């Protein structure tokens, strides 16, 4: 299943959501590609999705949940990749 939080994270003059999968990174990448999200939007265990793509993500089947729920879902699925555990070179 795919999940995202509401666009509430400001960066570069826009608001952003986080998109995750509780199944696999392969599922996440496939969904992001269908959404038209560039691979550079992938950050360790989620995609950063601009507010303009939020409605399309929901239409494609992503479920909207609070941000804390995203972290819990990632941890429960064993897909959480905290920044301190990911090498900085070539992490995307």
């Amino acid at each position: 299943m795919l999940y995202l939080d509401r666009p509430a994270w400001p960066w570069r003059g826009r608001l952003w959501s986080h998109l995750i999968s509780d199944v696999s990174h392969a599922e996440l990448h496939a969904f992001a590609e269908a959404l038209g999200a560039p691979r550079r939007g992938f950050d360790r265990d989620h995609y950063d999705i601009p507010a303009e793509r939020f409605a399309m993500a929901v239409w494609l089947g992503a479920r909207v949940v609070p941000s804390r729920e995203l972290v819990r879902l990632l941890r429960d699925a064993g897909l959480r990749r905290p920044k301190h555990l990911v090498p900085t070179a070539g992490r995307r």
Side-chain angles (χ1 to χ4, degrees):
M1 176 59 112
L2 285 295
Y3 301 89
L4 77 162
D5 56 4
R6 297 206 175 271
W9 306 96
W11 188 59
R12 294 191 178 191
R14 298 163 90 180
L15 291 177
W16 298 79
S17 293
H18 300 106
L19 175 70
I20 67 142
S21 166
D22 67 348
V23 173
S24 69
H25 289 134
E27 179 188 48
L28 179 59
H29 293 309
F31 188 90
E33 184 175 335
L35 184 59
R39 183 65 183 244
R40 70 180 176 272
F42 181 67
D43 187 14
R44 299 183 318 271
D45 54 16
H46 69 276
Y47 271 85
D48 295 319
I49 303 295
E52 301 83 50
R53 293 189 190 214
F54 179 82
M56 179 61 80
V58 173
W59 186 81
L60 287 171
R63 183 178 294 171
V64 180
V65 297
S67 299
R68 289 184 182 197
E69 181 72 2
L70 291 181
V71 175
R72 186 192 67 74
L73 288 162
L74 282 170
R75 283 189 185 139
D76 289 353
L79 296 172
R80 181 71 172 140
R81 297 182 70 195
K83 189 179 255 183
H84 71 279
L85 296 179
V86 178
T88 55
R91 72 174 204 223
R92 289 188 185 205

